[in-house]
Each structure stands twice: as C-alpha cells, then as structure tokens.
Amino acid sequence: MKPWMIALTAVGILLAAQFARTQPAEPAAELRGKYEGIGASANAVWVLDTHTGRVRKCTQEFADQAPACSAMSN
C-alpha cells in the first residue's frame, strides 16, 4: 500500500470511531441537583431549590466564619 492510502485509511477509522463512541447529551433537567447557587455579590449567594422554586440568601462576612442564611422564601 502507498503511504497516503494508509494515512487516509487511518484518518477514516479515527473519524468513524469518534461517531461510534459518542453518547447523546443528557437533558439539562437531569444534570441539575436539588439546589443551585447563584452569585449575588462578592460575599453573598442566592440558593435556589430547583424542585420548589423557593430561594434563600446566604452571606459570609469573614472567611473563617460559616455563612448566615435567611429563611426559605414562601
């Protein structure tokens, strides 16, 4: 075989293998957890319950302290 035919065959096999090994992407709903954090500022974050839609705000004043969170919204 000529070298260009070997190279062309190898490229074809690699391209076919890429299509054979890929899996369909999962829907976004399956990738999300129960809670999702959304940055509000440098020291605050909104915590969203993705199942109920309720939110709470958590702030952390100092790095060595635990964050203080509000109650969940209604």
Side-chain angles (χ1 to χ4, degrees):
M1 260 189 178
K2 296 185 180 190
W4 65 270
M5 289 183 72
I6 294 172
L8 186 61
T9 303
V11 168
I13 291 171
L14 288 174
L15 288 174
Q18 293 223 350
F19 289 111
R21 298 285 300 165
T22 58
Q23 297 178 1
E26 295 182 26
E30 294 179 15
L31 298 175
R32 291 174 57 183
K34 179 169 170 93
Y35 297 103
E36 185 173 327
I38 302 166
S41 67
N43 65 341
V45 64
W46 287 101
V47 178
L48 169 68
D49 184 337
T50 59
H51 295 161
T52 64
R54 295 170 30 171
V55 296
R56 74 187 316 171
K57 185 177 181 183
C58 297
T59 57
Q60 186 175 19
E61 297 301 324
F62 300 102
D64 62 342
Q65 295 178 351
C69 297
S70 66
M72 293 298 276
S73 67
N74 292 334

